[in-house]
Every structure is written in C-alpha cells, then in structure tokens.
C-alpha cells in the first residue's frame, strides 16, 4: 500500500514524480505529496503535500517552476493517523526528508525512548522513523550511518526513500518486507514501489534486496549491505511496455482489463503446453512436488482466495485428495495443520500481500512445500516461495481484480491437470482433453465480450439496490463469492454470496419485493436443485438474474433476466461466468458515477496486516 517514487537525474524531477505518482496512485489515494531538492546554492527544499488524489497535488504544484533534478513523491493509504495534509508524506525535519511505505510496529516505544512526543507534528509512524534518522544524522553527519542506526531500532515493514539536504542530488533507500524496485536509465536513477512508474524510462530493473542501502545519483545506483559490502542486484526485464499501464481508449482500467482476459489467458496457458499436456519445465516446477504431496492447502486473500475455492473443487474432483482453502490472515493465527507432505499453494496477484506472504512463510516453517501463483515478477512472495508459477496477465491497475482472477484460475486448472496426470489420476488422453477445455475459455470469453447488453440491463436494477444476493451450489457458489465481492468493492452495494440451498435457513428472510438476486446455475448435476431455490426467492418477490448454460428454459415465472453463457463443459464455466459478474459490477459502479478504478478505502496491494 502507498506508492512511493524517487528520481534523480537530468530531467525535470517534478514532472517525473507527478507522472510517476499518477501511475502509482492505485496503491493508495488518500493523499499525495512531493519534495524536491532545489538546485539553488542552499539546496533548499520545495515541499507540497495534501489530502486528496494526485490530481489535487498536480493542480496545486502546476504554477510552481522548481528547478530540480532530484525529488521524492508519495501517494498514501492511511494506516496511522487520519487523512490530513499534515499526515501526508513526505515528512521533513532538519535536513532530512522521507517517504515511507509500511508500518513501524514499535513506533510508540520509539517515541518514548527517543523523547519524540513533543516534536511530532503528524500522527504517523513514518514521522517517528524520520525523526530517528534525523537524530542520528545530526549526531554522525553521515546519511548511511544514520540509516543503519535507525533501522537497527525500528521494528516493522518499511520501504524508505530519504533525501539529505547536506547530500544534494542523492536519494537513499532501504526496505524491509515492503516493496521497492529501482532502475538506472540514460536520464537518471529511479526507485518506486512498483514498475508502473519506471517502465516509461526503462524496462530493465531490479528489486532492492532487503537490508541493503541503495544510493541513487544521476550517475547511477550503488548498493551496499549493512556491513558496507557492495551488493550486486539481480537484474530483471519487464515483459510489458508503457502502453500496458495506459487506458488504451477505455474509460476505465477495469473495463480494459476485463477485455484483456482472452489475451491474458492465452499468455498464461500456451507457453506451458508441451505435447498437448501442461508442462512446467520452464518454470522449474518438478513433478516430484505433485507426486509427493499428501494434501493441498491453498492460502490467499480476497479474489485470490475465491480463485482458490474454485481450485479446491477442481483438485478434489480430479484427484480425490483433501484440499483446504484458507484466508491468509486467519491461517497465521489458527495453528494450521500443515507440515511435511503438504503442498501449500499460495495465490497473489501482487505477490506483496503481507498476510499471504506471512502465511506462506509459516507453512514453510512447518515443513510444507510452497508453490506460489503470482502475477508480479520478482515480488516478495515469488522470491520467497519454493516454486513460482507466474501468471502473465500484464499489469493489473484497477483495484478490482479481474484478469488476475481469470489467470489464477487458469494456473490452478493447469496445476490440477498436471498433478492428476503425474499421479495417474488422469490418463494422458484425459489430461490433454482437460487442457483443451481450459483453452476453450479463450474463444468463449471473446464471444461473450461481443455482447454486453444483458449485463448492462442487470446493472440498471443494481444501481438502485441497497442489497443484493448471489446464489449458487457447488462450483456455482464459489463463483458467486467473487461476484458479490466485485459488486461490493466498486459499487458499494451490499452483496452476499450464499449457497443456494442454505438460504432457507435464515437469509431468505431478507428477500423482499425487488431484491436483486443473481442466481448461477451452470452445473448440470445440481441444476434442478438450484432452480428450486431460485423459485423460492422468486416467489418472495426477488428480482432474479439467472445465469445458465445455453438452451435452458427460463420463463418469467423463474427469472426477470436470463443470461446464457457460450458452450463449455461444466467444470470450466467459471471463465465466462466470471466475466458476466465482473461486467455487472462494472456497469453498476459506472452507472452510479463512482470512481470505478479507485474505490473508497481500498488499495491495490495490501502490504499491511
Ligand atoms: C480484488 O478485487 C481485491 N481488490 C482484493 O480482494 C485482492 O484480490 C486481494 O487483496 C489479494 O491481493 P493479491 O492477489 O495481490 O494478493
């Protein structure tokens, strides 16, 4: 959470930083700020920070001509302290200016031990870190020593970018857990929370190793560990370009990303096909991992967790092996029953979700093997896992996850297929046929995206709703969890997903005249059972949208809107259903005039517990 950027070089730093903040804004958008070390003899500081989106900061700084090639910028997702100008970053004191992403856990103790209470002007933990660095900087007059001393007493997750007025033209960075990537280009050196702010300048970058001090200057970047030894970073290359982080003619990133799903699926699946079967040789994932597993535990948060729920059904169906799906933030504190013999599949688009990361570490400590399904290359989860399956969705900017969900599903289907094959649960022929069905999701989604009238129609009802229900049985229930989350997070309509058969045990009391219910009935073996539940809500006045496979009779006594998915076998209906549910949420939020890509209170990458 929080987006941070630093730049030093030959370009106009203000412009680079404001542009960078715009692309990082999806990480947090409560407030934004910029600090520039001016190129005057005193190297005086220009600072502007305020509550509100980056556009507010841009407007406020528009008229200020600041001659500077060195600065830092921040877009905030509040943790400690409200959304105020004062709490916005950068924070500055004396000759030190800092931006921070993360949480300083022992900030209260530090306030006491360094007698900071009287000095603090904000309510943030970040300012405490700043004042400690400043204390040591004044003591030793040495930026590196000051940083080392400070991180020696700070407990928590952090990525810091710091400017020292006594050392103009340089930006000092260090991180623990919270992400930072850096790159040197022809026009200077950059550091940022993620690649989106860097790709306009270069696609070659590295992830700043933890406990390493990076010093950026216009000549390049030097890295040293905390003992002063040089550190050689592992260079990475971004396989997507600057166009991927633009809206490309769509009104919102979310709509663009929904439409990118066929391509994202192809990019994720096709490079992993050899002799008609899923093959992970290039990923370095050995078959022994699948052969030796006695059980599977899937750990993730939010949408990734709901992808895991679908995965569970597929694994259990193909292999009859026990699969437990855990919410990462709960898993950590429930003394989970995992150990040697457990294959822990961790799912995360960003690869930075702290709960997921810590859950994975715990599973590994207990002896489980980890396989991470991650979209962002070089992210922390990807680096710490035993094995990584990279999804190739390209950058997902909209806070609401769409294409990342589809490729996570594809990854799970491919893994299930390979695993079932190597364990002898699927013959070669059956595994190849299964893989063909996964691939079929691509044309099926393409067909679906050609006509979105039905989804727009559903949204016309949803925009007026206070509550909505998503119901289904079995796999359809797993899909409905994601549908309800999508609607809630971007349209602010309260939505609940319910197993269709469970409604009558309480929740059906909430159904009244006109309550929208989205019923998903794509699974043949339970179709009639679900339909009986649909009749129960219809009889009580619900406004029903029914999603089925083609050719199902659905008169006005059963539903108000009938949406049919293109032909695909039952186990794979999640792909088209997901797109329908995403579009219902999208058109509802858009119809309410909401900021679809930046829903209130949320941030894309959740790096706090
Ligand atoms: C999805 O729309 C959400 N914004 C959210 O639930 C997200 O999936 C969750 O925070 C997990 O993120 P990750 O995949 O980056 O770990």
């Amino acid at each position: 959470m929080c987006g941070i950027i630093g730049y030093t070089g030959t370009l106009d730093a203000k412009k680079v930083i404001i542009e960078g903040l715009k692309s990082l804004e999806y990480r947090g958008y409560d407030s934004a700020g910029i600090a520039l070390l001016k190129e005057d003899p005193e190297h005086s500081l220009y600072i502007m920070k305020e509550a509100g989106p980056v556009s507010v900061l841009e407007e406020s700084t528009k008229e200020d001509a600041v001659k500077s090639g060195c600065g830092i910028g921040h877009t905030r997702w509040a943790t400690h302290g409200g959304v105020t100008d004062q709490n916005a970053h950068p924070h500055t004191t004396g000759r030190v200016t800092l931006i921070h992403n993360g949480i300083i856990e022992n900030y209260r103790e530090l306030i006491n031990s360094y007698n900071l209470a009287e000095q603090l002007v904000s309510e943030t933990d970040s300012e405490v870190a700043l004042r400690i660095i400043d204390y040591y900087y004044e003591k030793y007059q040495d930026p590196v020593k000051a940083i080392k001393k400070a991180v020696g007493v700070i407990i928590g997750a952090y990525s810091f970018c710091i400017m020292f007025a006594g050392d103009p033209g340089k930006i000092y960075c260090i991180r623990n857990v919270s992400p930072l990537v850096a790159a040197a280009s022809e026009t200077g050196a950059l550091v940022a929370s993620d690649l989106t702010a860097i790709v306009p300048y270069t696609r070659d970058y590295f992830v700043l190793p933890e406990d390493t001090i990076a010093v950026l200057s216009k000549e390049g970047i030097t890295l040293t560990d905390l003992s002063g030894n040089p550190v050689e970073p592992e260079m990475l290359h971004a396989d997507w370009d600057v166009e991927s982080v633009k809206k490309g003619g769509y009104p919102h990133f979310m709509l663009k990303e929904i439409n990118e799903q066929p391509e994202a699926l192809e990019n994720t699946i096709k490079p992993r096909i050899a002799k008609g079967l899923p093959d992970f040789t290039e990923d370095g994932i050995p078959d022994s991992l699948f052969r030796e597993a006695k059980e599977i535990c899937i750990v993730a948060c939010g949408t990734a967790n709901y992808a895991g729920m679908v995965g569970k059904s597929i694994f259990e169906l193909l292999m009859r092996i026990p699969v437990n799906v855990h919410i990462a933030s709960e898993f950590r504190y429930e003394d989970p029953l995992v150990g040697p013999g457990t294959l822990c599949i961790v799912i995360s688009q960003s690869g930075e979700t702290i709960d997921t990361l810590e859950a994975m570490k715990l599973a590994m400590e207990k002896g489980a093997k980890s396989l991470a399904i991650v979209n962002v290359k070089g992210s922390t989860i990807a680096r710490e896992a035993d094995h990584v399956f990279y999804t190739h969705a390209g950058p997902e900017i909209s806070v609401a996850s769409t294409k990342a969900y589809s490729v996570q599903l594809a990854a799970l289907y491919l893994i299930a297929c390979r695993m079932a094959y190597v364990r002898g649960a699927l013959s070669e022929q059956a595994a190849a046929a299964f893989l063909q069905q996964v691939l079929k999701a691509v044309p099926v989604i393409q067909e679906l995206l050609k006509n979105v009238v039905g989804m727009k129609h559903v949204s016309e009802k949803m925009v007026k709703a206070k509550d909505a229900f998503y119901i289904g049985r079995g796999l359809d229930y797993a899909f409905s969890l994601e549908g309800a989350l999508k609607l809630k997070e971007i349209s602010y309509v309260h939505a609940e997903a319910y197993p269709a058969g469970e409604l009558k045990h309480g929740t059906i009391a909430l159904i009244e005249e006109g309550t929208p219910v989205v019923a998903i009935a794509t699974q043949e073996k339970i179709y009639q059972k679900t339909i009986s539940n649909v009749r129960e809500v219809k009889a009580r006045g619900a406004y029903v949208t029914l999603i089925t496979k083609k050719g199902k009779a659905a008169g006005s006594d059963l539903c108000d809107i009938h949406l049919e998915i293109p032909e695909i076998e039952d186990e794979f209906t999640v792909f088209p259903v997901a797109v329908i549910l995403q579009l219902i949420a999208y058109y509802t939020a858009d119809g309410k005039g909401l900021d679809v890509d930046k829903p209130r209170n949320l941030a894309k990458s959740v790096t706090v517990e």
Side-chain angles (χ1 to χ4, degrees):
M1 326 193 89
C2 297
I4 69 183
I5 176 166
Y7 168 74
T8 179
T10 52
L11 303 175
D12 174 3
K14 185 178 128 194
K15 195 159 177 264
V16 174
I17 289 163
I18 296 284
E19 287 310 309
L21 288 179
K22 284 190 205 162
S23 54
L24 290 168
E25 196 171 17
Y26 71 111
R27 300 182 64 91
Y29 31 85
D30 295 340
S31 31
I34 182 170
L36 303 164
L37 272 186
K38 291 197 239 170
E39 287 170 9
D40 56 23
E42 299 79 39
H43 301 293
S44 55
L45 188 73
Y46 168 89
I47 185 159
M48 183 73 80
K49 54 178 193 164
E50 46 197 323
V54 175
S55 56
V56 170
L57 178 75
E58 188 178 23
E59 191 55 33
S60 311
T61 54
K62 200 169 68 187
E63 304 298 328
D64 301 340
V66 187
K67 198 165 163 30
S68 169
C70 178
I72 53 180
H74 188 273
T75 173
R76 180 171 185 244
W77 189 86
T79 57
H80 294 62
V83 180
T84 64
D85 295 354
Q86 201 64 262
N87 290 337
H89 300 217
H91 294 285
T92 188
T93 185
R95 295 181 299 152
V96 187
T97 306
L98 161 146
I99 49 176
H100 167 223
N101 172 24
I103 286 188
I104 313 293
E105 285 169 13
N106 61 338
Y107 80 105
R108 284 185 193 281
E109 292 85 331
L110 293 172
I111 292 174
N112 292 335
S113 42
Y114 285 79
N115 284 322
L116 298 175
E118 299 295 304
Q119 299 171 39
L120 296 173
V121 294
S122 77
E123 303 153 311
T124 65
D125 54 337
S126 311
E127 192 194 345
V128 174
L130 165 81
R131 291 196 180 267
I132 293 171
I133 294 171
D134 175 60
Y135 168 80
Y136 286 117
Y137 185 52
E138 288 310 317
K139 190 164 173 185
Y140 299 111
Q141 301 292 314
D142 177 347
V144 169
K145 200 157 183 187
I147 293 170
K148 279 187 198 167
K149 284 280 180 192
V151 298
V153 296
I154 288 171
I155 299 172
Y158 50 80
S159 45
F160 295 129
C161 292
I162 313 151
M163 294 192 300
F164 296 86
D167 204 7
K170 290 195 183 142
I171 298 168
Y172 290 78
C173 313
I174 189 161
R175 74 176 196 96
N176 177 45
V177 184
S178 303
L180 267 187
V181 292
S185 76
E186 281 174 9
T187 52
L190 290 132
V191 63
S193 302
D194 67 50
L195 266 187
T196 51
I198 285 181
V199 280
Y201 306 93
T202 174
R203 287 161 69 183
D204 297 307
Y205 70 101
F206 61 88
V207 176
L208 179 65
E210 287 181 337
D211 301 326
T212 300
I213 298 180
V215 184
L216 280 70
S217 68
K218 64 172 182 288
E219 285 77 36
I221 305 174
T222 58
L223 301 182
T224 47
D225 64 20
L226 294 178
S227 311
N229 304 310
V231 173
E232 205 48 56
E234 187 195 335
M235 292 307 295
L236 297 168
H237 183 75
D239 45 15
W240 42 270
D241 60 21
V242 71
E243 289 311 308
S244 359
V245 291
K246 293 187 177 159
K247 284 188 196 151
Y250 287 94
H252 298 102
F253 280 109
M254 183 177 176
L255 191 57
K256 176 180 177 242
E257 288 160 6
I258 289 172
N259 278 278
E260 283 173 344
Q261 288 177 106
E263 194 191 338
L265 283 168
E266 259 185 1
N267 292 343
T268 300
I269 302 167
K270 285 201 169 156
R272 295 185 165 103
I273 304 178
K275 296 184 190 149
L277 295 176
D279 185 294
F280 309 140
T281 314
E282 293 290 306
D283 301 287
I285 303 170
D287 284 340
S288 57
L289 188 72
F290 302 137
R291 275 199 203 96
E292 288 160 16
K294 294 194 173 54
E295 55 172 11
I296 296 173
C297 91
I298 299 178
V299 186
C301 301
T303 290
N305 185 274
Y306 295 148
M309 301 277 280
V310 178
K312 169 185 163 77
S313 298
I314 300 302
F315 280 106
E316 291 185 342
L317 177 82
L318 294 187
M319 281 170 287
R320 312 304 302 151
I321 179 175
V323 182
N324 289 307
V325 183
H326 300 266
I327 293 170
S329 55
E330 292 293 312
F331 181 83
R332 295 178 58 189
Y333 303 106
E334 62 196 12
D335 197 8
L337 294 169
V338 295
T342 308
L343 172 60
C344 178
I345 299 180
V346 166
I347 312 170
S348 176
Q349 186 285 131
S350 62
E352 300 294 349
T353 302
I354 192 85
D355 287 320
T356 309
L357 171 67
E358 293 300 330
M360 179 179 84
K361 286 186 188 163
L362 176 67
M364 289 165 77
E365 268 164 38
K366 284 176 170 278
K369 287 267 179 270
S370 60
L371 169 58
I373 299 172
V374 172
N375 196 43
V376 177
K377 231 180 177 179
S379 54
T380 313
I381 292 175
R383 281 180 289 112
E384 303 241 344
D386 291 319
H387 304 281
V388 190
F389 183 118
Y390 278 117
T391 52
H392 299 305
E396 191 180 64
I397 306 292
S398 179
V399 166
S401 197
T402 53
K403 61 177 179 173
Y405 175 67
S406 289
V407 294
Q408 285 162 356
L409 291 166
L412 288 163
Y413 277 71
L414 258 55
I415 292 167
C417 183
R418 179 81 202 172
M419 190 163 175
Y421 169 65
V422 301
R423 292 166 74 99
L426 274 186
S427 67
E428 187 173 337
Q429 206 186 9
F434 184 94
L435 178 59
Q436 282 313 309
Q437 281 295 312
V438 185
L439 266 173
K440 198 174 169 193
V442 175
V444 160
I445 294 178
Q446 276 162 342
E447 189 186 329
L448 193 76
L449 286 168
K450 283 185 198 148
N451 184 358
V452 297
V453 175
M455 286 67 103
K456 283 186 177 168
H457 195 175
V458 180
S459 75
E460 283 157 20
K461 183 77 183 172
M462 287 291 190
V463 291
K464 296 181 212 122
K466 227 171 119 289
D467 306 291
F469 292 88
Y470 286 67
I471 61 171
R473 285 171 178 254
L475 268 174
D476 288 329
Y477 167 60
F479 312 162
S480 69
L481 288 163
E482 172 58 6
L485 174 63
K486 219 76 309 165
L487 188 75
K488 275 183 274 206
E489 71 177 325
I490 60 168
S491 76
Y492 316 148
V493 174
H494 165 245
E496 258 193 77
Y498 239 76
E502 180 67 10
L503 268 186
K504 56 188 173 294
H505 298 288
T507 310
I508 202 163
L510 296 169
I511 303 291
E512 46 189 50
E513 199 57 41
T515 305
V517 172
V518 177
I520 309 166
T522 67
Q523 303 298 302
E524 197 50 48
K525 65 173 193 271
I526 41 171
Y527 180 76
Q528 287 306 339
K529 298 280 176 207
T530 307
I531 292 302
S532 302
N533 303 133
V534 176
R535 289 193 189 286
E536 289 157 14
V537 292
K538 186 72 188 131
R540 286 158 180 85
Y543 183 88
V544 175
T545 298
L546 178 63
I547 303 172
T548 67
K549 294 176 81 175
K550 275 210 165 89
K552 296 287 183 193
S556 58
D557 57 325
L558 181 62
C559 66
D560 299 274
I561 299 177
H562 182 203
L563 301 177
E564 291 179 313
I565 57 169
E567 197 46 58
I568 192 162
E569 284 180 17
D570 287 14
E571 294 85 350
F572 308 88
T573 56
V574 67
F575 294 101
V577 170
V579 177
I580 290 178
L581 301 179
Q582 292 161 359
L583 286 167
I584 291 173
Y586 172 77
Y587 288 117
T588 305
D590 193 39
K592 290 177 87 170
L594 298 170
D595 188 346
V596 175
D597 288 331
K598 297 198 287 280
R600 70 185 177 207
N601 304 338
L602 297 181
K604 182 71 180 164
S605 169
V606 185
T607 53
V608 294
E609 290 179 40

